[in-house]
């Protein structure tokens, strides 16, 4: 497997594809390895049960599916994906199921085409090339999206790798091999809202609000840290360009100038006035809501007092003074 691709294609991956693959893997894994109920037998039985559970847990399943999207020139944008049925005995995909799913998706998304397939695992295997070649009649140059489901806390990048296939001559024999390709994450407004909603869901283990706040602050801190690192890289690059260490690129300078022109709008006096006006209006609405609630509670208290005093005065022959 070569280190990087030389095709010159630009890949854009949408978060929906990653969510679909992760959901597919989680469902299959939970079905293959259901939660075991602890036994009430002796320690010998429990030890054998734990051993069997460890063996089942060590067998991580692999899932397969197709990725769909569009290709505009040299840009390949992967929008969505759907699952496929895999036959382990023949090491092949269910062709009829694939054609049926492709026909259904073609009715809903007429502009989307099958760009390749996906699977899970730590690295591409030799058996993956058989599936890759089987899809070449649908797409002559399919892409292979591989998701690594293992958790690595030291890894900061997404555990997703996109492979292309290239024809290389090895030992005098032309062979297809997988080569890694770089990609970027592309999102639309609906995806950003959905991903943000999923990220703010309450944990299933009954996590407290403090836990969710800590997770939110951690994500914000990571985003600010990433922004700071990228600004630092951009600053070093501009300093090196000013010194003449790197060649001057007018297109990059125009993009930097466009970015810097947005900053004074935040520090201008008009922005401060508008911000203070919005802030004061929000506080005023909040105070009015509090006064309304207090007035409503006071009215209820007066009504209850009048009702109670009226009953007491009727028994004693007195009249109410309120």
């Amino acid at each position: 497997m070569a280190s990087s691709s030389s095709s010159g294609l630009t890949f854009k991956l949408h978060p929906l594809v990653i969510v679909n693959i992760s959901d597919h893997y989680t469902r299959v894994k939970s079905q293959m390895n259901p939660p075991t109920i602890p036994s009430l037998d002796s320690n010998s039985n429990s030890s054998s049960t734990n051993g069997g559970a460890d063996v089942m847990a060590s067998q991580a399943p692999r899932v397969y599916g197709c990725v769909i999207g569009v290709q505009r020139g040299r840009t390949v944008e992967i929008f969505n994906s759907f699952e496929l049925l895999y036959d382990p005995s023949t090491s092949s995909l269910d062709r009829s199921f694939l054609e049926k799913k492709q026909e259904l998706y073609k009715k809903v998304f007429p502009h989307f085409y099958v760009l390749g397939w996906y699977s899970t695992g730590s690295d591409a295997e030799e058996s993956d090339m058989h599936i890759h070649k089987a899809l070449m009649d649908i797409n002559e140059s399919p892409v292979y999206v591989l998701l690594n489901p293992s958790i690595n806390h030291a890894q900061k990048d997404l555990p997703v790798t996109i492979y292309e296939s290239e024809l290389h001559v090895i030992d005098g024999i032309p062979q297809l091999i997988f080569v890694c390709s770089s990609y970027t994450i592309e999102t639309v407004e609906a995806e950003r809202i959905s991903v943000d909603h999923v990220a703010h869901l309450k944990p299933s283990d009954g996590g407290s609000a403090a836990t969710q706040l800590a997770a939110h602050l951690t994500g914000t801190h990571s985003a600010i840290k990433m922004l700071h690192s990228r600004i630092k890289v951009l600053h070093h690059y501009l300093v090196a360009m000013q010194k003449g260490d790197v060649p001057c690129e007018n297109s990059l300078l125009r993009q930097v100038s466009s970015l810097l022109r947005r900053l004074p709008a935040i520090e201008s006096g008009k922005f401060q006035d508008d911000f203070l006006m919005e802030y004061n209006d929000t506080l005023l609405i909040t105070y009015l809501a509090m006064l309304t609630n207090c007035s409503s509670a006071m009215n209820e208290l007066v009504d209850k007092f009048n009702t109670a005093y009226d009953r007491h005065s009727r028994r004693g022959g007195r009249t109410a003074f309120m």
Side-chain angles (χ1 to χ4, degrees), residues 10-302:
T10 301
F11 291 94
K12 296 181 179 181
L13 184 64
H14 284 253
L16 181 60
V17 180
I18 304 176
V19 173
N20 287 343
I21 300 174
S22 177
D23 176 71
H24 188 191
Y25 173 82
T26 303
R27 285 188 286 105
V28 172
K29 184 178 180 181
S30 62
Q31 292 171 4
M32 293 182 60
N33 302 327
T36 58
I37 301 176
S39 177
L40 299 177
D41 297 338
S42 61
N43 295 334
S44 59
N45 294 335
S46 61
S47 61
S48 61
T49 304
N50 293 335
D54 294 338
V55 172
M56 292 183 63
S58 62
Q59 298 176 354
R62 296 195 69 188
V63 296
Y64 301 87
C66 275
V67 292
I68 58 177
V70 295
Q71 180 173 357
R72 304 181 183 92
R74 308 297 296 175
T75 302
V76 179
E77 194 166 358
I78 305 175
F79 282 93
N80 205 340
S81 64
F82 59 87
E83 304 173 9
L84 291 178
L85 298 180
Y86 178 74
D87 188 1
S89 59
T90 59
S91 299
S92 61
L93 300 174
D94 190 338
R95 195 69 181 191
S96 60
F97 182 80
L98 168 60
E99 294 174 354
K100 183 178 179 181
K101 294 286 289 187
Q102 184 181 3
E103 181 181 357
L104 293 176
Y105 268 84
K106 196 66 177 177
K107 294 179 180 179
V108 181
F109 306 103
H111 302 292
F112 288 0
Y113 298 92
V114 175
L115 300 176
W117 63 293
Y118 71 80
S119 182
T120 55
S122 58
D123 200 358
E125 302 179 1
E126 295 182 0
S127 59
D128 295 341
M129 185 57 69
H130 300 289
I131 303 176
H132 196 79
K133 293 179 179 179
L135 295 176
M136 285 186 173
D137 58 342
I138 301 177
N139 191 317
E140 61 181 7
S141 182
V143 298
Y144 177 26
V145 181
L146 182 65
L147 173 67
N148 187 3
S150 60
I151 300 176
N152 185 4
H153 297 284
Q155 183 179 0
K156 297 182 179 180
D157 298 330
L158 289 174
V160 178
T161 309
I162 295 182
Y163 294 101
E164 295 180 81
S165 58
E166 292 184 354
L167 188 63
H168 288 206
V169 178
I170 302 176
D171 297 333
I173 302 175
Q175 298 180 7
L176 277 176
I177 62 173
F178 287 120
V179 292
C180 296
S181 299
S182 60
Y183 65 92
T184 57
I185 300 297
E186 188 77 11
T187 60
V188 295
E189 186 65 24
E191 288 179 321
R192 286 194 290 269
I193 295 174
S194 302
V195 172
D196 183 72
H197 176 71
V198 172
H200 288 81
L201 287 177
K202 187 175 181 180
S204 58
D205 56 352
S208 61
T211 304
Q212 299 182 39
L213 178 60
H216 175 69
L217 294 178
T218 302
T220 305
H221 176 266
S222 301
I224 296 175
K225 186 178 180 181
M226 178 64 68
L227 177 62
H228 178 266
S229 64
R230 292 184 178 182
I231 294 176
K232 190 175 181 180
V233 170
L234 182 61
H235 177 262
H236 290 333
Y237 183 79
L238 293 176
V239 170
M241 184 184 297
Q242 185 179 14
K243 293 180 179 180
D245 297 338
V246 295
C248 180
E249 295 186 10
N250 293 326
S251 61
L252 180 60
L253 290 177
R254 284 193 293 269
Q255 294 179 8
V256 174
S257 177
S258 176
L259 177 63
L260 294 178
R261 278 197 296 267
R262 303 176 186 176
L263 298 179
I266 303 177
E267 299 296 335
S268 64
K270 186 177 183 303
F271 173 80
Q272 294 293 337
D273 294 339
D274 294 341
F275 177 77
L276 289 177
M277 184 179 298
E278 291 288 340
Y279 182 72
N280 292 331
D281 291 343
T282 303
L283 289 179
L284 181 60
I285 293 174
T286 304
Y287 293 154
L288 288 176
M290 294 178 62
L291 290 175
T292 304
N293 291 333
C294 293
S295 177
S296 177
M298 183 63 68
N299 289 333
E300 291 181 1
L301 179 61
V302 171

